[in-house]
Amino acid sequence: MTAAEAIKMPNEHVFVPGGENSRSFRNALGAFTTGVTVVTATTPEGPIGMTVNSFASVSLDPPLVLWSPAKSSSRHPAFSEATHFAIHVLSADQDVLSARFTRNGRAFDDLDWEINDEGVPVIPGTLARFECRQAAAHDAGDHTIIVGEVLRAAHRDGDPLCFSGGAFGRFSRQ
């Protein structure tokens, strides 16, 4: 018996990630519930946004966060070159806001938004917001890891919008 067979649970699909089983790998990653964010920046053509679940805290001192846009995204160049950006953590009732930026990065029409001191579009009323200066960008396979130094942050009480298994949902406290 191999080590993998020894730890395999009933109904568990054990595999080595690769091109032939990329769907299985995506499904395994989808088992990890994440929050939902909209990242915004400014381009010469105007404001741009993207719905993202690859957000994480990095450091409290200095205050650093990260997110990872896919290189295949048409918005990747704009975000990887942005010197400043804002990450908006969405609340459970903001799934419509999330949907605005999944396919259309220029979904600011009829949306309440402002420009911060660094010229970045910020969306008021989200659960939390991190206004950042790009501190580093790292090549990471088919994504770029963008680290931001948090210049300003805001938050309010509320429940987060969650994403798991390809679907939006709510966090339930027990």
Side-chain angles (χ1 to χ4, degrees):
M1 180 183 312
T2 68
E5 291 170 331
I7 60 171
K8 184 176 178 182
M9 301 297 292
N11 300 322
E12 185 177 45
H13 174 60
V14 178
F15 61 96
V16 175
E20 70 282 354
N21 56 23
S22 61
R23 173 48 50 195
S24 291
F25 188 54
R26 287 180 66 95
N27 290 346
L29 292 170
F32 182 70
T33 300
T34 68
V36 181
T37 68
V38 170
V39 180
T40 58
T42 299
T43 71
E45 293 78 36
I48 192 166
M50 177 187 295
T51 299
V52 173
N53 70 341
S54 61
F55 164 72
S57 62
V58 175
S59 171
L60 293 176
D61 187 19
L64 301 173
V65 296
L66 69 77
W67 71 288
S68 305
K71 291 178 183 174
S72 62
S73 169
S74 62
R75 291 170 264 181
H76 180 270
F79 282 108
S80 63
E81 295 168 8
T83 59
H84 293 84
F85 57 90
I87 299 171
H88 305 79
V89 178
L90 303 187
S91 64
D93 60 349
Q94 292 180 315
D95 54 326
V96 172
L97 179 58
S98 168
R100 289 180 75 115
F101 291 98
T102 56
R103 299 274 181 231
N104 182 359
R106 304 219 184 269
F108 289 89
D109 293 343
D110 302 320
L111 180 67
D112 183 25
W113 60 281
E114 303 164 359
I115 294 288
N116 72 6
D117 291 343
E118 291 73 36
V120 175
V122 293
I123 304 167
T126 56
L127 195 58
R129 182 177 65 250
F130 303 93
E131 298 174 40
C132 303
R133 176 190 62 79
Q134 188 179 119
H138 304 281
D139 181 55
D142 58 2
H143 283 65
T144 298
I145 298 170
I146 298 176
V147 178
E149 176 186 5
V150 180
L151 304 175
R152 277 178 302 285
H155 72 93
R156 64 174 175 84
D157 289 335
D159 293 326
L161 181 61
C162 298
F163 187 75
S164 184
F168 293 106
R170 299 178 81 101
F171 173 76
S172 176
R173 290 173 174 49
Q174 294 186 359

